[in-house]
Amino acid sequence: MLDFHPLRLEDLPKLRPFFGYSGSRICDTTPGTVFIWRDLYKTEWAVYDGSLYFKVEYPGLGPTFTLPLGGGRPEHFRQIAAYCCRREMPIQFYPVPKDELERLQEFFPNSAALAERDNFDYLYRAEDLKYFRGKKLSGQRNHVNKFLKTYGTWTFRPIAPADIPAVKDFLDRYAARWDKGAATFHEDIAKTHEVLDNYQTYDLLGGMLLVEGQIAGFSLGEIIGDTLFTHIEKADRDYEGCYQMLVAQFAQHFAHEGVAFINREDDTGDPGLRTSKLSYHPIALLEKFTVTVEEPCAFR
């Protein structure tokens, strides 16, 4: 029987091993994404028979289940159906990757699946983002060249514990300048501070770009399987080409052998962000489906 508990930061070390079971390249099955957004989405967790279950409240969806980590799918589906049946609530799964959709709908044949473009993740070849080679990426390469010509003294290096106060100061300046007034923006800033304050617990990869010794941008991410996930990326647009330089340097420093892809997450439907992410020429948009089952008691 599933027994859910509110997700706390102190749960991360004991739950981290379960994320190794994820066979998907979507960002939602990474420790960083799950824990950074746990409060906004009221995430709860349960471990049953060697599998990790998450119950999440996404805006507009209500209680929703992600696909569990570990174990076998039929047993996962039965456990979730029994949980929902006891509470007389419909089953909702989100996000369901496209390669999992058929198996889920075979178990729940009367389910309905819906995909929203705003939620699709952008997946890139790691080599493309490292060097921006070829005609299609000439625009990004030109931005990097502009940066190199304009700023002679620059460095990129991993964030060390001693750098945290300076990175937090940069984040505060960034937040004050680009405050969008949205709840997601403020949660993103707050949780970025949390990541920096608990750098060893989160255990993310972090790198910062400096110009004349001053921080011009930083990125935080992690590697799961063959994919580097970029969870957080902040830069000072006053430095021309800064974002493109940050993307390239983060990829060069952390997408080592065995890392073939980089996931830069979704665009949330923001037109400017969509234009930016498309300009890096993703090799795929990773579809995510919401699957709804109206009669959970039929599948216990």
Side-chain angles (χ1 to χ4, degrees):
M1 184 179 296
L2 298 178
D3 182 20
F4 284 95
H5 312 275
L7 187 64
R8 311 294 186 199
L9 181 58
E10 54 264 32
D11 298 321
L12 178 51
K14 65 186 173 187
L15 298 184
R16 187 184 297 279
F18 287 97
F19 290 90
Y21 289 105
S22 175
S24 172
R25 295 191 181 102
I26 64 172
C27 68
D28 308 78
T29 53
T30 64
T33 296
V34 170
F35 278 83
I36 287 170
W37 296 104
R38 70 186 187 279
D39 291 332
L40 186 67
Y41 297 150
K42 301 176 183 177
T43 304
E44 298 182 1
W45 66 275
V47 170
Y48 179 81
D49 195 23
S51 293
L52 175 61
Y53 295 73
F54 287 117
K55 182 161 67 76
V56 185
E57 291 198 21
Y58 289 107
L61 290 181
T64 306
F65 298 88
T66 62
L67 293 182
L69 300 169
R73 286 286 181 252
E75 181 58 26
H76 293 157
F77 299 152
R78 279 191 288 270
Q79 288 298 325
I80 291 172
Y83 179 90
C84 292
C85 180
R86 290 193 298 271
R87 288 157 180 78
E88 298 182 346
M89 57 185 280
I91 306 171
Q92 289 194 111
F93 291 96
Y94 178 82
V96 178
K98 188 174 183 179
D99 58 2
E100 289 270 14
L101 184 61
E102 182 178 355
R103 180 161 46 163
L104 189 148
Q105 292 197 293
E106 282 179 356
F107 191 91
F108 298 110
N110 295 323
S111 58
L114 177 67
E116 291 190 18
R117 169 66 176 81
D118 294 353
N119 300 327
F120 294 179
D121 283 356
Y122 290 75
L123 189 72
Y124 306 84
R125 287 190 182 89
E127 287 299 308
D128 288 346
L129 297 194
K130 285 180 180 179
Y131 305 110
F132 301 137
R133 295 187 179 112
K135 184 177 180 180
K136 68 179 182 178
L137 290 168
S138 61
Q140 309 303 325
R141 191 167 62 251
N142 290 340
H143 282 296
V144 168
N145 290 335
K146 177 69 173 179
F147 181 95
L148 294 173
K149 290 177 181 178
T150 306
Y151 311 106
T153 305
W154 67 272
T155 57
F156 180 94
R157 60 179 174 82
I159 296 172
D163 299 318
I164 298 298
V167 177
K168 285 171 63 66
D169 287 345
F170 174 86
L171 178 62
D172 285 336
R173 294 194 299 273
Y174 172 94
R177 182 172 183 181
W178 301 106
D179 189 346
K180 299 179 181 179
T184 52
F185 178 86
H186 289 286
E187 185 68 5
D188 173 67
I189 297 299
K191 283 300 188 291
T192 302
H193 272 295
E194 180 186 85
V195 170
L196 294 168
D197 288 335
N198 299 273
Y199 203 53
Q200 289 185 319
T201 299
Y202 266 96
D203 196 27
L204 296 183
L205 302 170
M208 58 184 187
L209 180 65
L210 300 100
V211 175
E212 302 291 344
Q214 300 298 310
I215 298 175
F218 72 95
S219 295
L220 297 166
E222 62 190 323
I223 295 170
I224 304 292
D226 62 3
T227 304
L228 171 63
F229 294 83
T230 305
H231 293 313
I232 295 167
E233 186 178 76
K234 313 295 182 191
D236 185 345
R237 294 185 179 92
D238 286 346
Y239 294 94
E240 293 187 67
C242 184
Y243 267 105
Q244 290 79 10
M245 192 69 177
L246 186 59
V247 169
Q249 289 297 309
F250 191 69
Q252 288 178 33
H253 278 75
F254 295 113
H256 303 308
E257 185 177 355
V259 177
F261 304 100
I262 296 176
N263 181 318
R264 290 179 53 75
E265 304 193 346
D266 59 33
D267 61 32
T268 68
D270 181 275
L273 196 54
R274 179 166 298 184
T275 297
S276 173
K277 293 196 175 189
L278 287 172
S279 72
Y280 289 91
H281 292 276
I283 60 168
L285 296 178
L286 302 182
E287 298 175 69
K288 305 176 190 177
F289 292 84
T290 302
V291 176
T292 305
V293 183
E294 295 293 344
E295 299 180 358
C297 295
F299 301 98
R300 290 183 298 171

